[in-house]
Amino acid sequence: MHIAQRYLPDCPQLAAQVRQLAAQAAEVDLVDPLSEQFLRGLDDSRLNHRHLLALEDAMVLGVLAYDGTSSELLVAPGSRRQGIATKLLAQFAGTDVWAHGDLPAAQALAKDLGMVPTRRLLVMEIKDQALVEAAEFQEPVGVRSMNLRESIDRWGTELVEQAWLEANNDAFAWHPEQGGWDRDRLRLAMGADWFEESDVLFFWDESGPALAGFHWTKWHTEEEPHFGEVYVVGLAADYRGRGWGGPLLRLGLSHLLSRGSSRIILYVEADNGPAVRVYEKLGFSISQEHVIYSSTGN
């Protein structure tokens, strides 16, 4: 077995092996080992991800993917406990590493390597009758709710996308992945194979084409039954404190419920106590936890 760096967008056969390994690991661990962005990085050269592979002849036994900020790690279920993860991480000493599901094996590896949790991302879910009740939506006075396609048809792509970007960057100026977007970053996100214009919902100020907030939902078809996700939801600063956050959240839940979802998930930072409490009050509960481990020397 040897460690080699490969540019997987140029190596489709190796990329396909990594996808297959990810599916096998998910079946064993009951949690996806690679996030959506890192899975896209296997094929999409625009993301410029770097990949280290643990190879036995031409067979992939493990992979470490690096996006310039953090890493994700995957070892084939049948090749674990052989030091492969340690060897991969040694090539990227000091990198922050995601542990999806924060499984006991990941905790043990982090402890052995002197790494500690520095970020916790919760997966929360709501389903069945609690979802039906939470999805009751009433449009606030002064708001017109429209989806992305309806908005573009009325005001044009340039105005709508610029307003969306400004609202996003205002709401997520603090966020390491969602903040600081430009038009190229937005278009890249809209290029995902699951993207639907009707799943992006806006609160427009009725007094003019000013965007108060947005709720970008996602429809998951990778498992049965299909389900929905509160992908990104945010209010522009000028519209906070008006009580519009709750209705904006319910707008997306109502939309996903109308698509037939009986379960909806969302991701939220564990240290965002106010948001977690809002979701819990609405009926969401924690179903998974993803953790970033960092070297104590960082």
Side-chain angles (χ1 to χ4, degrees), residues 19-33 74-81 100-101 103-105 288:
R19 287 185 179 275
Q20 186 175 19
L21 284 186
Q24 293 172 359
E27 187 173 348
V28 171
D29 299 327
L30 303 181
V31 61
D32 291 324
L74 164 65
V75 176
S79 301
R80 294 174 180 176
R81 300 180 182 274
H100 295 295
L103 302 174
Q288 283 184 356

Side-chain angles (χ1 to χ4, degrees), residues 65-145:
Y66 180 66
D67 69 354
T69 302
S70 62
S71 299
E72 296 191 350
L73 179 67
L74 164 65
V75 176
S79 301
R80 294 174 180 176
R81 300 180 182 274
Q82 298 178 26
I84 292 175
T86 300
K87 292 175 181 177
L88 286 168
L89 286 169
Q91 302 294 313
F92 270 94
T95 185
D96 292 342
V97 184
W98 279 102
H100 295 295
D102 196 26
L103 302 174
Q107 296 177 27
L109 175 63
K111 183 178 180 181
D112 289 344
L113 297 178
M115 303 178 77
V116 297
T118 54
R119 182 182 174 193
R120 296 183 182 274
L121 187 65
L122 304 179
V123 183
M124 304 185 73
E125 70 174 14
I126 188 171
K127 56 187 178 180
D128 302 329
Q129 186 58 34
L131 171 57
V132 173
E133 295 173 3
E136 294 179 357
F137 170 69
Q138 183 173 353
E139 191 172 76
V141 175
V143 164
R144 174 170 296 184
S145 54

Side-chain angles (χ1 to χ4, degrees), residues 172-194:
F172 293 100
W174 55 275
H175 198 279
E177 288 94 31
Q178 192 63 37
W181 281 27
D182 57 17
R183 190 67 60 91
D184 288 341
R185 182 65 183 84
L186 178 61
R187 293 282 177 79
L188 182 62
M190 293 169 67
D193 57 7
W194 53 263

Side-chain angles (χ1 to χ4, degrees), residues 150-217:
E150 293 167 338
S151 301
I152 289 175
D153 288 345
R154 179 160 184 174
W155 291 299
T157 300
E158 181 67 26
L159 184 150
V160 171
E161 289 188 355
Q162 185 60 36
W164 186 7
L165 275 172
E166 290 175 359
N168 177 83
N169 291 338
D170 186 8
F172 293 100
W174 55 275
H175 198 279
E177 288 94 31
Q178 192 63 37
W181 281 27
D182 57 17
R183 190 67 60 91
D184 288 341
R185 182 65 183 84
L186 178 61
R187 293 282 177 79
L188 182 62
M190 293 169 67
D193 57 7
W194 53 263
F195 179 80
E196 296 285 348
E197 291 180 332
S198 60
D199 287 336
V200 182
L201 311 171
F202 293 136
F203 265 8
W204 292 98
D205 188 333
E206 280 193 334
S207 64
L211 187 60
F214 66 97
H215 188 155
W216 186 353
T217 67

